[in-house]
């Protein structure tokens, strides 16, 4: 059974810092790895989807990497802003596009 | 451009009552999913429908039933609600291609359900 772990559970940084969120998964037979953002009381917004044949994806200040062999993915946020404060979720994508989620990292960026 | 729409947004039930959560998507996606999110945990898959006319169990299906009414709509039913089913329920959809699953899922804003 796939298990996804996210470290740290919570993170507080001053504005402008670069930061890394970590995601690990136990079964490397995944199709993709997807990162989401969730604001309080809201649904999930897809940030980046890394296909199993790729090693990284970039969107603006966000960069996500994937190492299937070691069961790890990282989300790098450059020059963090208070508007980046949210919960970040990673999900391992299995056959049938079924997602197995981690518990999330709660990020707070202080101005 | 609505995307994935869930109704209702909030609901309070008494133990033993029944209820149906509605989900509709306007992106012409073939696959739809129901998840639940509990405090301190990630989302867990309840049921999914890979295509119109098919449904399958996910990780936590007990106490729930689903109906894929047509390509747009996928409903989740609680036949006899229990306090353990207090949660936030999310519906999602995506375009599922045979032998590939490389399309991102799109989520609704959730239904917050409390069972007393």
């Amino acid at each position: 059974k796939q298990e996804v772990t996210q470290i740290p559970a919570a993170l507080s940084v001053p504005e402008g810092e670069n930061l890394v969120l970590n995601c690990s998964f136990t079964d490397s037979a995944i199709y993709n790895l997807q990162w989401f953002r969730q604001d309080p009381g809201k649904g999930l917004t897809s940030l980046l989807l890394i296909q199993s044949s790729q090693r990284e994806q970039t969107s603006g200040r966000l960069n996500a990497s994937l190492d299937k062999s070691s069961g790890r993915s990282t989300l790098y946020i450059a020059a963090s802003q208070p508007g980046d404060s949210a919960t970040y979720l990673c999900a391992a994508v299995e056959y049938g596009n079924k997602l197995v989620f981690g518990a999330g990292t709660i990020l707070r960026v202080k101005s | 451009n609505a995307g994935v729409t869930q109704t209702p947004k909030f609901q309070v039930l008494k133990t033993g009552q029944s209820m149906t959560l509605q989900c509709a998507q306007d992106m012409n996606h073939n696959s739809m999913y129901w998840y639940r999110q509990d405090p301190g945990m990630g989302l867990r898959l309840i049921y999914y429908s890979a295509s119109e006319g098919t449904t399958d169990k996910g990780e936590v299906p007990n106490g729930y039933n689903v109906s894929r009414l047509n390509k747009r709509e996928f409903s989740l039913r609680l036949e006899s609600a229990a306090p353990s089913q207090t949660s936030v329920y999310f519906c999602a959809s995506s375009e599922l291609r045979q032998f590939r699953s490389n399309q991102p899922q799109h989520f609704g804003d959730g239904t917050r359900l409390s069972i007393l």
Side-chain angles (χ1 to χ4, degrees):
Chain A
K1 176 187 172 185
Q2 179 76 266
E3 293 184 0
V4 179
T5 303
Q6 292 188 244
I7 294 173
L11 182 62
S12 182
V13 300
E15 182 177 4
E17 270 203 10
N18 303 324
L19 57 99
V20 175
L21 307 181
N22 296 292
C23 172
S24 62
F25 46 94
T26 56
D27 186 350
S28 61
I30 63 172
Y31 280 74
N32 306 302
L33 194 292
Q34 195 166 356
W35 282 93
F36 294 89
R37 169 185 173 136
Q38 184 177 29
D39 294 293
K42 298 292 187 181
L44 279 66
T45 300
S46 180
L47 297 173
L48 291 164
L49 182 147
I50 312 173
Q51 298 186 27
S52 60
S53 58
Q54 299 174 319
R55 293 193 65 83
E56 64 178 84
Q57 278 282 337
T58 298
S59 176
R61 294 182 294 109
L62 305 180
N63 175 276
S65 67
L66 174 63
D67 184 343
K68 280 186 62 176
S69 61
S70 67
R72 294 180 181 178
S73 177
T74 61
L75 178 66
Y76 175 82
I77 302 177
S80 58
Q81 303 171 358
D84 294 331
S85 298
T87 297
Y88 291 80
L89 297 160
C90 74
V93 184
E94 300 188 321
Y95 178 76
N97 217 12
K98 293 177 286 183
L99 303 185
V100 181
F101 283 86
T105 294
I106 302 171
L107 173 65
R108 179 185 173 210
V109 181
K110 299 172 289 184
S111 57
Chain B
N1 192 6
V4 178
T5 302
Q6 292 184 236
T7 56
K9 295 188 184 304
F10 302 93
Q11 186 69 49
V12 179
L13 294 177
K14 295 181 179 179
T15 297
Q17 287 185 319
S18 63
M19 178 173 183
T20 299
L21 308 186
Q22 306 288 351
C23 175
Q25 52 93 8
D26 63 3
M27 295 171 282
N28 202 36
H29 288 161
N30 56 1
S31 62
M32 298 185 73
Y33 309 80
W34 276 105
Y35 296 87
R36 61 178 287 173
Q37 183 177 34
D38 300 300
M41 301 180 68
L43 283 72
R44 292 179 292 169
L45 182 65
I46 305 172
Y47 270 94
Y48 66 102
S49 171
S51 61
E52 186 178 354
T54 70
T55 60
D56 286 287
K57 295 178 180 179
E59 181 185 353
V60 288
N62 291 344
Y64 304 95
N65 287 299
V66 291
S67 295
R68 184 72 183 268
L69 304 171
N70 47 56
K71 191 172 185 179
R72 290 187 62 249
E73 299 173 288
F74 189 37
S75 63
L76 178 72
R77 183 163 178 83
L78 287 69
E79 291 290 353
S80 180
S84 62
Q85 294 177 305
T86 293
S87 189
V88 182
Y89 291 86
F90 288 99
C91 177
S93 71
S94 72
E95 185 62 23
L96 181 63
R97 300 172 183 174
Q98 193 175 18
F99 305 123
R100 290 190 293 164
S101 55
N102 57 356
Q103 301 304 306
Q105 288 194 13
H106 298 262
F107 283 75
D109 285 340
T111 294
R112 284 146 187 83
L113 184 60
S114 293
I115 300 164
L116 306 177

